[in-house]
Amino acid sequence: MRNLLIITYTALISIFVISCSNDTNSIENDSGIAEKEVVGVELDSIIKRGKLIAITNNTPTSYFIYKGRPMGYQHDLLARFAKEIGVQLEIKIVSSIPDAMDSLVHKKADILASGLTILGDRKQYLDFTMPITQTHQVLIQKKPKGHSSLNRKTLENRLLRDVTELAGKEVYVEEGSSYYDRILSLQNEIGDSINIHTYNADLDMDSLMFMISSGEIQYAITEEYTAKFFLRYYPDLDIKTPISFNQNIAWATPKNSTALIDTINSWIEENQHTTTWAVIYNKYFKFNKNMNTRASSGYNLDNGKISPYDKLIKTHAESIGWDWRLVAAQISVESGFISNKTSWAGAQGLMQIMPATAGSLNPNHTDLLSPSQNIAMGVKFDGILFEYWTKIITDSTEATKFSLASYNIGKGHVFDAQRLAEKYGLNPLVWDGNVAVMIKKLSKSSYNRDPVVKHGYCRGLEAYNYVNRIFSLYQNYQNFDIPDN
């Protein structure tokens, strides 16, 4: 059994009392006594930054990686909201609920999106959006042996349906969760003790349900929509005993993030009843037959793997000093790890190498669709470009972005964007917010006909998106502990 902990309600509250000691301004109440007003996250600062930073957890219902691509109900909604306000999405994984809320209180992120229940005491420290969905807490228990042959009445009689019968029983709940608060209240309501065990975030819902199915533990409490996701894999379990009334699930922001909350709420109101929203919900909670298989597939970051080509990528990335996960992100964007992919323009293989480029990189290559040869050539090209840009740009991250843009669109067009950046008072040696801004404009005649532009028209938006997508995936890959060997 994984690490199971017993914690106290007082300890949880203390986390948030300590957390709220920073980021405050003094104000006076009606009695003239100085109080502290927490400063929230400004929507303008998010837009200026060009990035929405969201905290979530690594579960099949919130966020996971499948074949190199981020997925999950919370992720998909967050990605659509980020697109709505015109910024990139950055995901940060925080496993435990107390740690997640503490991180938000300290403004280490803009949004917490992990199936958080709106509770009164949480409102002291966080602001909540309008509900994303509703659910209620349920008891997970194992059906009796031979349940499939029992009639409905007999089956019901053998299951725990009256919550007062939990007196004296061992029940497992996640530490810091609303389930823990609820079982404390339930214990008080029935006037008898319940043997409460708490588990930390290392124990996922799939494993918890397996433990009940195998008879290792007897009861656990969670919200219905998560339990429902996994129920198809455990037909011997029952989740029909309600433990609470319906509860609202929402996103949270740091306290007093008024403009951000208002913008999110407007977006939710506009989209929540659309077909698109329903498709996202059904994908994970209704028609989810293959979703858990994807979340736990062989090429999942929890298993330490991104693709079937990880060993090749590691070997070649090391030759140019790049993190192999960055090269993996590049391959994911280029080909989606499809080794025999050929583009309309003739680019081939995992790293979409043009035949002419391949000839200059390796005149002796025999098969451009060979994963080994293709990755070797693509990484060699990355290395040549990176060596060039590091002579001009000292910051290695900036040099990497310029290298990737050059890989996608050619150095000539990047030079043009640099010259335009300098002309319009931007920094020609910084990508985000500077050269990246100008490279998008190279498709417009008012810019590509400028005398400083030597290589004419190009669809600069492709290079802009290319760099953003690679770094976004790279950030996702860094959320997980992937062994290097």
Side-chain angles (χ1 to χ4, degrees):
M1 187 184 298
R2 301 202 188 185
N3 187 23
L4 299 171
L5 306 172
I6 304 295
I7 60 174
T8 64
Y9 185 74
T10 304
L12 286 175
I13 291 298
S14 67
I15 290 172
F16 301 107
V17 172
I18 294 168
S19 297
C20 290
S21 61
N22 298 321
D23 299 317
T24 58
N25 290 329
S26 294
I27 58 173
E28 288 189 355
N29 61 20
D30 293 338
S31 304
I33 300 172
E35 294 181 342
K36 297 288 186 179
E37 180 184 35
V38 179
V39 178
V41 170
E42 297 291 340
L43 178 63
D44 287 348
S45 68
I46 295 172
I47 293 172
K48 185 177 180 180
R49 183 203 305 151
K51 184 186 297 181
L52 177 73
I53 303 172
I55 294 172
T56 190
N57 52 340
N58 176 213
T59 68
T61 52
S62 291
Y63 167 75
F64 63 94
I65 302 289
Y66 175 66
K67 291 189 176 179
R69 299 291 172 139
M71 298 182 73
Y73 179 62
Q74 299 291 350
H75 169 271
D76 289 4
L77 291 179
L78 286 166
R80 287 190 171 273
F81 175 69
K83 185 177 180 181
E84 176 74 16
I85 62 173
V87 298
Q88 299 295 311
L89 173 65
E90 178 178 319
I91 296 286
K92 290 187 175 182
I93 297 296
V94 179
S95 298
S96 76
I97 293 172
D99 286 348
M101 289 194 283
D102 191 54
S103 292
L104 196 67
V105 166
H106 283 96
K107 297 205 288 282
K108 294 178 181 177
D110 309 311
I111 292 179
L112 170 56
S114 59
L116 200 64
T117 307
I118 301 176
L119 297 177
D121 60 337
R122 290 175 176 173
K123 289 183 177 180
Q124 298 176 55
Y125 313 106
L126 307 171
D127 281 343
F128 285 93
T129 66
M130 63 184 294
I132 296 289
T133 188
Q134 279 194 333
T135 189
H136 63 274
Q137 296 176 28
V138 294
L139 182 73
I140 310 173
Q141 60 184 313
K142 188 173 182 179
K143 294 175 184 176
K145 206 174 255 188
H147 62 86
S148 58
S149 61
L150 299 177
N151 62 51
R152 185 175 178 181
K153 185 176 180 181
T154 303
L155 178 60
E156 288 295 308
N157 287 337
R158 294 193 187 180
L159 291 167
L160 193 155
R161 291 292 185 236
D162 183 351
V163 293
T164 63
E165 295 175 14
L166 286 175
K169 303 287 196 308
E170 290 192 348
V171 182
Y172 289 78
V173 294
E174 184 180 354
E175 64 181 6
S177 67
S178 58
Y179 331 133
Y180 181 79
D181 297 339
R182 175 57 190 144
I183 201 166
L184 288 177
S185 298
L186 185 60
Q187 188 173 235
N188 185 55
E189 290 165 16
I190 65 178
D192 207 339
S193 62
I194 298 171
N195 193 354
I196 304 169
H197 295 267
T198 63
Y199 59 87
N200 61 26
D202 290 336
L203 185 64
D204 59 75
M205 186 53 55
D206 196 359
S207 300
L208 183 72
M209 293 180 79
F210 175 79
M211 290 165 67
I212 298 172
S213 177
S214 64
E216 192 172 346
I217 64 176
Q218 194 170 10
Y219 300 109
I221 293 173
T222 189
E223 80 278 356
E224 185 194 37
Y225 83 104
T226 300
K228 218 171 178 181
F229 180 93
F230 291 101
L231 194 60
R232 67 171 61 248
Y233 306 102
Y234 300 99
D236 61 334
L237 298 187
D238 176 89
I239 60 169
K240 291 182 179 177
T241 301
I243 298 296
S244 72
F245 296 111
N246 273 354
Q247 295 176 311
N248 291 321
I249 302 295
W251 290 347
T253 69
K255 198 72 180 170
N256 297 328
S257 304
T258 308
L260 177 58
I261 283 286
D262 289 346
T263 303
I264 296 171
N265 284 340
S266 295
W267 177 78
I268 292 172
E269 283 183 318
E270 186 177 337
N271 291 276
Q272 195 168 30
H273 300 293
T274 64
T275 302
T276 300
W277 191 294
V279 167
I280 293 172
Y281 181 87
N282 291 339
K283 175 180 175 183
Y284 295 101
F285 298 109
K286 194 171 181 181
F287 308 121
N288 65 348
K289 184 176 180 180
N290 299 317
M291 200 54 65
N292 190 47
T293 303
R294 292 180 179 182
S296 57
S297 70
Y299 299 111
N300 177 287
L301 299 188
D302 276 347
N303 299 324
K305 297 178 182 178
I306 297 175
S307 77
Y309 311 106
D310 288 359
K311 287 186 178 180
L312 287 172
I313 298 169
K314 290 173 186 176
T315 298
H316 294 297
E318 188 177 0
S319 69
I320 64 169
W322 278 21
D323 186 333
W324 74 273
R325 294 170 294 183
L326 176 63
V327 178
Q330 183 182 14
I331 293 173
S332 180
V333 171
E334 286 284 0
S335 65
F337 299 110
I338 300 171
S339 63
N340 62 352
K341 182 175 180 179
T342 300
S343 76
W344 64 270
Q348 296 181 42
L350 291 167
M351 298 196 73
Q352 291 291 276
I353 305 292
M354 293 295 288
T357 305
S360 65
L361 293 168
N362 180 8
N364 299 318
H365 78 86
T366 56
D367 183 6
L368 201 49
L369 296 181
S370 159
S372 179
Q373 292 190 44
N374 194 281
I375 293 173
M377 283 186 282
V379 172
K380 184 178 180 180
F381 193 24
D382 280 332
I384 292 169
L385 293 169
F386 186 61
E387 185 179 4
Y388 173 83
W389 286 109
T390 50
K391 290 176 181 176
I392 300 169
I393 301 170
T394 55
D395 185 282
S396 62
T397 300
E398 289 297 333
T400 302
K401 292 181 177 181
F402 278 82
S403 300
L404 291 170
S406 302
Y407 188 105
N408 176 261
I409 209 168
K411 281 193 297 184
H413 293 302
V414 178
F415 294 154
D416 285 343
Q418 283 186 298
R419 286 188 285 266
L420 281 172
E422 192 167 19
K423 179 174 180 176
Y424 286 93
L426 300 174
N427 191 335
L429 301 180
V430 175
W431 181 258
D432 292 325
N434 291 273
V435 177
V437 171
M438 303 316 297
I439 207 160
K440 289 192 293 183
K441 297 183 183 295
L442 287 174
S443 62
K444 299 180 179 179
S445 59
S446 57
Y447 288 91
N448 61 47
R449 293 178 183 174
D450 190 294
V452 302
V453 174
K454 309 300 181 185
H455 297 84
Y457 169 89
C458 77
R459 290 199 73 243
L461 182 61
E462 288 186 7
Y464 174 86
N465 288 334
Y466 182 77
V467 175
N468 281 347
R469 288 176 64 198
I470 290 172
F471 267 82
S472 177
L473 275 177
Y474 179 43
Q475 183 274 323
N476 277 280
Y477 295 168
Q478 289 176 299
N479 277 324
F480 299 81
D481 184 20
I482 308 173
D484 287 330
N485 298 303

